[in-house]
Amino acid sequence: MDKTLEINFDGLVGPTHNYAGLAQGNLASKRHAGLISNPREAALQGLEKMKASVDAGFPQAVLPPQQRPDMGLLHCLGYRGAPEEVLPRVGSEAPELLYAACSAAAMWTANAATITPSRDTLDSRVHMTPANMQSALHRSIETAQTARTLRAIFSDERHFAHHPALPATPWFSDEGAANHTRLCAQHGGPGVHLFVHGDSAPDTLAAPKHHRPRQTLRACRALARQHGLSDQQTVFAQQHPEAIDAGVFHNDVICVGNGPVLLYHERAFFDERAVLEALRDRLAVRADGQPLIPVRVPEEAVTLEAAVASYLFNSQLLSREDGSMTLVVPGECESDESVWMTIQNLLLGGNNPISEVVVRDVKQSMRNGGGPACLRLRVVLNEAERQAMSARVMLDDALYQDLTTWVERHYRDRLTLEDLADPQLAHESLAALDELTALLKLGSIYPFQLERGAG
Ligand code: SUG
């Protein structure tokens, strides 16, 4: 029997992880701007999280970090020369550009791409579109490398179709799987795709007042078209503008779906009733009559503010073989009583498949607004597709050990703006990445490796 599995591809935190306050609409990023970061601890926390998933029997893989500092960005902004000249100069003249060039934000792989499993596509291939991340400079520099990395791992064109990122303009602002949820009876069965956008129709009063939406309806529709999804397979939903203003910069900060379960806060969507109705209708037609299992958390149980502060909904909802589900929540959920009570009563005690809650410590990432769900890109693959993957990215005990040793050897435990301006850090980072691509059997994927090859 063909066994289709969901594999979580977590981003490995890069050696220049820092707190720069660069992310608009993201309260944690703003609050922690300028804090001293600890990339070693961040990477080890991420690896611990991945290892715990493997130990619990969930398929887990890893995506490598990106080349930072991005000297290409700095060169293009007119800072010519070697890191020795450029980095100290940018650090003193335009620290925000140095921060952007050093950002390790690619760790949040939920923003890497939108992926449609082969079960739902016309040509029975897995379709992928890297997100353009055009709403912020430090994230817009991820797209080209994301495309190269995905092409390196999913190189077999018989199984994988790679689309170009959408045009990087406000009309098509796309932040990837963080705003896309696939609902189904089981991973191998047909699915219904919920695309969530933040912008509103021009003639409504439903726009957020304080923060710019990061995903547009035009982008959602274009992704569905690229992947060949029909109207019957898709639902497009507008985020609640009050949620965006309260710090919900991606839908995965307020909603998580898995199988037939949709766990969400009552203020996640502008028109909750219409979203549920559409999902129910589509599931009935497309997913073998599978009923939707909505798990709604009302404001009186958890306020929008508490949801954003605890990241309750930025959890991973993982299917076990017996059909029950595990909810992986960040440690911050334990310290808010309303959230913890809701987990115990409404989620574990409710009429739904969630039967276990596990807590993970990803504080280094959380301080930048990245919880357990942000750190992972979900890829549903059948047996043949898993076999067709290139590279050593599936996490097992041996790879976990190798990556832990690699982090301990190469990563610093303290980074400030001054450190980012230190050319030595740039050299250390490239040496680390060079070793990493060998370890992951990825070949040459980074600009410095490709230039070396060409030279
Ligand atoms: O884009 N933070 C990221 C967090 C992304 C979380 N991803 C999901 N919700 N899927 C962002 O807001 C902070 C960088 C800084 O300020 O240094 C940052 O980019």
Side-chain angles (χ1 to χ4, degrees), residues 18-26 29-30 33 99 103 105 108-111 133 136 138-139 142 175 177-179 214 249-253 311 314 365 367-371 373-375:
N18 67 84
Y19 298 116
L22 294 174
Q24 83 90 17
N26 174 339
S29 149
K30 293 290 174 207
Y99 274 128
S103 174
W108 299 297
T109 52
N111 304 120
M133 301 304 293
H138 73 292
R139 303 226 55 185
E142 292 169 22
E175 309 229 337
N179 298 307
R214 296 216 215 158
F249 54 96
H250 292 136
N251 181 58
D252 71 1
V253 175
Y311 261 41
N314 198 258
S365 165
R367 289 190 191 121
N368 256 338
C374 301
L375 285 161

Side-chain angles (χ1 to χ4, degrees), residues 4 33 45 157 181 210 227-228 302 387 419 443:
T4 296
Q45 283 175 350
E157 290 186 2
T181 307
H210 305 298
H227 294 202
V302 176
Q387 295 300 329
D419 298 309

